[in-house]
Amino acid sequence: MAAPEPPLTPADPAFRAWLQRFPKTETHLHIEGAVPYGLLHAWRPDEFPPDPDFQRPDHRFASFADFDRVLLRHALAWVTSVERYHEAARAIFAARFAESVRYVETSFHLGMCRALGVPGKEIIEAIRTAAPAGMEVRVFAGMLRTDYAGPLRPVIDDLENWESLAGVDLHGDESVPTQPWTAPVWRRLREAGKVTKAHAGECDGAARVREAIEELGVTRVEHGVRAIEDPAVVALARDRGVTFDVCPISNLRLRVVPSWREHPLPALLRAGVRCTVSTDDPLVFGNALTDEYEGLFREARVAPADLVRCLRAGWEVALIPEAERRRRLADLDHAAASVPPPRWGDSASEIPPR
């Protein structure tokens, strides 16, 4: 396995100023995994010291289980009530608004309904009402691959009646097989007007992406990057109009890919797969959306025009009225046309081209 990459060199102001002009989306964000670490540190500074090791840019998790342990310890310490969800979401959305993010799709873990003893609709309301004016937020219920076999089954069977719920997302370690219940439940929820997503092609290979598309029927795959291991799956995703909601820093930190230079996003774009860019679990990774785009530009050498394609993709799949979609895309195109794109030679971290 390749040695960890060094951290990015200091931020590039020219690139960040260019990126800031674009209206952005974030479409792959776990609300519990996005609790700002600063809230934990301010609350209990002795237990949660500043600058934790796991947020270092060069930190790599030993396994998905290692990552999950760190995430749960910190996230569950904070989300102990609906009010805590609201406080965290308000800080999360404010930070993204400052990055010119104007649309967010976020998921909450459905098991928290039982853990907190509150209806899921109250959690959704707490999250949605935390959005600042000018930002649209859509909330998804995330569940593990084994949840239907346990006490969450009646909750899952009622999800089509949750008017404020945008859709569902299949979470968790891909070492766990997708259970037979998933496809009929996903089909039922789509028929009720909900959007269905699935995590696939992260800790397991291209076959899980095929499964998500062909068996679960999704057109939104969270991550999806290991589809690159099978050209037929890449073609399937392209031909079906599937969108991969990609989180490059997460992929690096979880050892899905060994380095920025080997990240599959450029190859997926060249193959015609629509990809968005998001942060996944910034509580653990210490990343902002700007960091994702800057890493793609400076380290993965993704051209500005392809970064704009990713920005456009978020608005193309956003769950918003068509008039708003056209307006946002027009704003994005205007920004792209009015400011010269950054050049690698202007960057603080010049590296050789591919």
Side-chain angles (χ1 to χ4, degrees):
M1 182 171 294
E5 289 185 314
L8 286 172
T9 50
D12 178 2
F15 176 82
R16 290 182 172 233
W18 174 80
L19 185 68
Q20 181 67 17
R21 296 179 63 90
F22 292 92
K24 301 176 192 66
T25 68
E26 174 140 29
T27 53
H28 184 167
L29 182 70
H30 300 268
I31 199 74
E32 297 90 355
V35 170
Y37 187 83
L39 289 179
L40 292 168
H41 174 63
W43 173 46
R44 291 181 179 172
D46 293 336
E47 184 178 352
F48 303 105
D51 305 318
D53 287 346
F54 58 79
Q55 283 195 346
R56 294 195 325 263
D58 62 349
H59 181 81
R60 299 294 183 268
F61 289 94
S63 64
F64 188 88
D66 177 33
F67 153 77
D68 209 29
R69 174 184 57 79
V70 173
L71 174 63
L72 291 176
R73 174 180 173 251
H74 291 82
L76 296 182
W78 182 262
V79 287
T80 56
S81 67
V82 169
E83 291 74 21
R84 284 285 188 90
Y85 263 109
H86 181 80
E87 185 175 354
R90 188 171 57 193
I92 292 164
F93 298 149
R96 272 145 188 79
F97 196 85
E99 293 186 278
S100 299
V101 174
R102 297 297 182 261
Y103 174 85
V104 174
E105 291 177 10
T106 187
S107 62
F108 77 98
H109 181 48
L110 194 61
M112 294 303 294
C113 302
R114 290 185 59 83
L116 300 183
V118 298
K121 296 174 186 179
E122 291 187 16
I123 296 176
I124 295 171
E125 186 67 11
I127 295 169
R128 292 183 65 193
T129 57
M135 175 182 282
E136 296 283 345
V137 172
R138 303 291 181 262
V139 182
F140 288 69
M143 63 197 80
L144 302 178
R145 297 170 194 273
T146 56
D147 275 349
Y148 201 64
L152 282 177
R153 182 169 186 159
V155 179
I156 295 170
D157 283 342
D158 188 48
L159 289 176
E160 62 260 47
N161 299 314
W162 295 16
E163 185 177 352
S164 57
L165 181 71
V168 292
D169 189 0
L170 195 62
H171 289 178
D173 190 347
E174 286 181 89
S175 67
V176 178
T178 303
Q179 303 295 316
W181 63 267
T182 316
V185 169
W186 257 226
R187 183 169 56 251
R188 186 191 81 222
L189 289 169
R190 277 196 301 277
E191 290 171 352
K194 307 299 183 185
V195 174
T196 56
K197 300 182 180 183
H199 279 59
E202 179 191 20
C203 295
D204 204 347
R208 299 306 286 272
V209 179
R210 180 182 291 279
E211 173 192 69
I213 297 170
E214 293 186 336
E215 297 183 26
L216 302 187
V218 305
T219 57
R220 298 287 298 281
V221 173
E222 307 307 277
H223 296 294
V225 292
R226 289 187 61 184
I228 203 67
E229 297 168 6
D230 185 344
V233 175
V234 173
L236 174 69
R238 179 197 62 217
D239 295 345
R240 295 278 185 96
V242 173
T243 299
F244 291 174
D245 293 317
V246 180
C247 305
I249 290 175
S250 170
N251 298 156
L252 288 163
R253 301 288 299 280
L254 287 173
R255 304 175 187 261
V256 175
V257 298
S259 70
W260 277 107
R261 297 300 299 278
E262 296 167 88
H263 197 281
L265 180 68
L268 290 168
L269 292 174
R270 287 194 298 271
V273 177
R274 182 161 52 194
C275 297
T276 68
V277 175
S278 293
T279 59
D280 202 5
D281 293 288
L283 166 59
V284 177
F285 303 132
N287 53 331
L289 188 61
T290 301
D291 299 328
E292 303 281 352
Y293 279 100
E294 187 170 11
L296 288 169
F297 173 68
R298 290 169 55 188
E299 309 299 330
R301 303 296 277 184
V302 177
D306 283 333
L307 297 180
V308 172
R309 284 178 61 191
C310 294
L311 290 163
R312 286 185 60 87
W315 290 110
E316 288 167 356
V317 300
L319 307 177
I320 54 177
E322 285 303 314
E324 182 180 356
R325 190 187 325 282
R326 289 193 296 271
R327 178 173 66 85
R328 292 297 190 183
L329 288 171
D331 290 345
L332 193 150
D333 290 342
H334 176 74
S338 61
V339 180
R343 298 179 300 176
W344 286 296
D346 296 334
S347 173
S349 67
E350 176 65 8
I351 58 177
R354 289 177 182 270

